[in-house]
Amino acid sequence: MDELEDKPNRDNSRKTPLGIERRFDRFGDWLDDSWALRKAAPLLNKYPKVLIVLTWLMRLAVGSVFIVSGLSKGIDPWGTYYKTSEYLTAMHIPIDEWGNAVLALAFILFSVEFITGVSLLMGCYRKAAPIMAALFMLIMLPLTLWIAISDPVADCGCFGDFLVISNWATFVKNCFISLAVVWLLKFNTKVRSLISPYLQWIATVGIGAYIVLVGYIGYWQQPMVDFRPYKIGMRMLAQDDEAEYNPQYEFIYEKDGKTLTVGEDDELPDESEGWKFVRRVEKEFVKNDHSSSSAYEEAPDFRIWSEDGEEDVTEMLCGYDRQLILLVPDISELSMASSWKINRLYDMAKSHDTEFFAVVAGSPEAIEEWRDLSSGQYQIYTAEDTSIKELVRGNPALVSLEDGVIKWKSALSALQLDDEEDASEEISTYPIGMNMSGSETFIYLSLILISILAFLSLVSTLKLRYNSKKEE
């Protein structure tokens, strides 16, 4: 290994975009002259394995943070879009006409972050990957410092809804990550990659295809892994007290000065043997079996209000066995092109004995305008836009309930309906006529990517050993 004190010869005449690589080479020259590196150089030269271990630890730390951050954003692109919009609004940047641009920015953000993270973890692009991470941190470090000081948003959203940390904790985390990136800028090229350079383009294609597909499914249907409070299988609408609780009783019998307490499910004593009923005691209130089942965990209470927003109608809507709810977080942004599909769903719900209604966020004027233009016959209620976004992603989206329990969720854009009047109860979803959302699909896709990377690493290792034996 080259001595750390010796500066490598660099060809400063190379043409690079904006001179980025040359600028980071100069940064490397400055590191060579720094006090810390001059002190550490003798030790690292004497024990080269220490350099290898530390570099791999830095790859592991930075790569893992970038992977988790990019993947959690990619799983929930709607959440990333909402958080990006929050940032732009806090900076007083108008976004009313930038909807698609903000969404594209969100996709670019988590895709680049995830690809950079996996490349660092695998040791691919030993020079380019640390430079990309450094450029990322040059933006995020001052941004998170501003967020920590000014507190314009509740949380940074670095890990989406998967992990929410405070703004100051985010800044401290970015300080440590930035130091690790500096190490990689200097030493990453001195440690080999797990995948040979001539195979790295295949890895990049696989990594990019994976994160884009995860984001596409999360945007078009629903996030494959739900980090929000309202998960499938949880009770969305709480039952009222009469439906939720039943009293339990005990019966007291007496015979020859002795008392006997009998439960509802116990065999009653034979009165012909001298037992005399004395009284009935109300023991306690317990939940009905259906409500107390662990399969129906309570989600945070979702409140639904009348159209004018003055009356809480949540309990009134709990009396239906089957419900299909249209959720609209911003009715002013609802496209008229969706009105046919919504009205078709309303007809299908009626024919299958399912209650259909809409829960929207918007002004009374916007609601009335939508009702007139769409010719909808369904009832419209209101809720907070934040609550709707926590429940389901998409504008609009649908939630199917049975006895108040969430059975499935989907953005309206993913539903494929039949034009025929005798359409079946089953509703297929895009893409390729399948419901691709769900943790199982996420696991399958992740295993495919891991298998590709493992195969490329194996081929690279075998090729390296073959070349070594050939040189001997």
Side-chain angles (χ1 to χ4, degrees):
M1 185 180 69
D2 295 335
E3 293 295 318
L4 295 180
E5 296 93 334
D6 297 333
K7 298 179 183 178
N9 295 324
R10 295 186 175 93
D11 182 8
N12 291 330
S13 64
R14 287 178 296 180
K15 300 290 185 180
T16 56
L18 303 177
I20 291 175
E21 187 174 348
R22 188 166 65 249
R23 294 177 188 274
F24 276 99
D25 284 344
R26 292 173 181 171
F27 177 71
D29 293 341
W30 176 81
L31 285 177
D32 287 336
D33 296 329
S34 66
W35 175 86
L37 194 57
R38 282 189 285 109
K39 291 294 183 181
L43 178 64
L44 296 177
N45 283 320
K46 185 176 181 180
Y47 302 103
K49 289 186 178 181
V50 173
L51 175 64
I52 296 174
V53 171
L54 289 176
T55 301
W56 270 110
L57 288 175
M58 298 303 173
R59 284 179 178 179
L60 179 63
V62 179
S64 298
V65 170
F66 271 67
I67 289 172
V68 174
S69 180
L71 187 57
S72 59
K73 294 187 185 81
I75 288 174
D76 185 10
W78 277 102
T80 308
Y81 167 76
Y82 294 145
K83 183 58 68 175
T84 305
S85 300
E86 278 188 50
Y87 277 121
L88 296 177
T89 301
M91 297 175 185
H92 305 289
I93 299 176
I95 60 173
D96 293 340
E97 305 297 330
W98 289 20
N100 293 333
V102 175
L103 180 63
L105 177 62
F107 266 82
I108 293 172
L109 173 66
F110 65 69
S111 297
V112 171
E113 196 172 4
F114 183 76
I115 293 172
T116 301
V118 178
S119 297
L120 287 170
L121 196 65
M122 302 299 295
C124 298
Y125 307 106
R126 292 181 296 173
K127 198 164 191 176
I131 289 176
M132 183 60 68
L135 292 173
F136 200 91
M137 297 312 299
L138 282 174
I139 298 173
M140 297 307 298
L141 190 61
L143 178 62
T144 51
L145 176 60
W146 170 69
I147 293 171
I149 296 174
S150 302
D151 200 27
V153 294
D155 63 90
C156 72
C158 296
F159 301 108
D161 290 322
F162 169 68
L163 178 63
V164 178
I165 58 179
S166 68
N167 291 336
W168 276 110
T170 300
F171 173 69
V172 173
K173 179 262 296 181
N174 284 344
C175 288
F176 283 105
I177 294 300
S178 298
L179 291 175
V181 169
V182 170
W183 177 279
L184 292 175
L185 284 171
K186 180 60 185 174
F187 298 116
N188 197 47
T189 55
K190 297 183 180 295
V191 180
R192 66 177 291 267
S193 170
L194 293 181
I195 300 178
S196 300
Y198 64 89
L199 294 176
Q200 289 176 2
W201 69 272
I202 301 177
T204 304
V205 171
I207 298 166
Y210 169 84
I211 192 62
V212 170
L213 181 58
V214 168
Y216 171 79
I217 295 173
Y219 174 79
W220 195 250
Q221 295 188 9
Q222 288 296 295
M224 288 189 287
V225 183
D226 199 346
F227 303 123
R228 293 160 294 153
Y230 302 95
K231 297 176 175 60
I232 292 175
M234 298 184 71
R235 183 176 297 283
M236 173 186 145
L237 299 179
Q239 303 290 327
D240 58 22
D241 289 342
E242 291 183 1
E244 185 75 10
Y245 293 97
N246 277 332
Q248 296 291 302
Y249 296 101
E250 290 180 339
F251 304 95
I252 309 299
Y253 285 80
E254 188 178 60
K255 173 185 176 182
D256 298 333
K258 298 180 181 179
T259 59
L260 176 65
T261 302
V262 182
E264 289 185 24
D265 298 328
D266 298 330
E267 183 178 356
L268 298 179
D270 191 350
E271 293 186 358
S272 64
E273 296 179 357
W275 289 103
K276 181 181 179 181
F277 173 73
V278 177
R279 65 184 182 276
R280 183 184 70 177
V281 178
E282 189 175 286
K283 181 182 177 183
E284 60 182 351
F285 281 83
V286 298
K287 288 185 177 181
N288 291 334
D289 291 340
H290 176 77
S291 301
S292 61
S293 170
S294 59
Y296 301 106
E297 182 182 353
E298 292 281 353
D301 201 7
F302 186 88
R303 309 312 297 176
I304 301 175
W305 302 82
S306 58
E307 185 173 327
D308 56 14
E310 295 183 359
E311 182 183 358
D312 187 343
V313 298
T314 308
E315 291 186 359
M316 183 186 73
L317 299 174
C318 292
Y320 300 97
D321 294 335
R322 301 175 63 186
Q323 296 168 308
L324 187 61
I325 307 176
L326 176 73
L327 281 305
V328 185
D330 188 354
I331 196 170
S332 63
E333 296 294 327
L334 195 56
S335 171
M336 282 303 302
S338 61
S339 61
W340 174 87
K341 187 179 285 187
I342 295 172
N343 292 335
R344 181 76 184 95
L345 281 169
Y346 172 68
D347 294 335
M348 292 176 63
K350 284 200 308 182
S351 64
H352 291 95
D353 201 23
T354 300
E355 180 69 14
F356 183 96
F357 58 89
V359 178
V360 308
S363 65
E365 294 77 15
I367 295 174
E368 190 61 33
E369 181 181 2
W370 169 257
R371 181 183 281 112
D372 292 340
L373 294 175
S374 65
S375 302
Q377 302 300 313
Y378 45 87
Q379 185 65 45
I380 299 178
Y381 302 99
T382 59
E384 293 291 334
D385 61 336
T386 303
S387 298
I388 295 175
K389 291 174 182 177
E390 284 185 346
L391 171 61
V392 67
R393 297 307 196 197
N395 188 36
L398 291 153
V399 172
S400 175
L401 304 180
E402 288 188 14
D403 296 323
V405 177
I406 301 173
K407 306 308 290 185
W408 58 263
K409 301 188 287 186
S410 176
L412 181 67
S413 57
L415 296 181
Q416 184 178 12
L417 305 182
D418 197 335
D419 291 341
E420 299 178 3
E421 292 298 328
D422 59 345
S424 67
E425 186 176 348
E426 297 295 327
I427 301 175
S428 60
T429 55
Y430 292 107
I432 61 174
M434 295 175 59
N435 187 347
M436 298 275 299
S437 62
S439 57
E440 290 186 1
T441 305
F442 174 73
I443 292 173
Y444 293 150
L445 291 176
S446 300
L447 289 176
I448 291 173
L449 176 63
I450 292 172
S451 299
I452 292 173
L453 297 177
F455 175 75
L456 294 176
S457 298
L458 178 61
V459 171
S460 299
T461 301
L462 293 176
K463 180 67 174 177
L464 181 64
R465 291 182 177 178
Y466 173 78
N467 291 336
S468 299
K469 291 182 179 180
K470 189 175 180 181
E471 291 176 357
E472 294 176 358

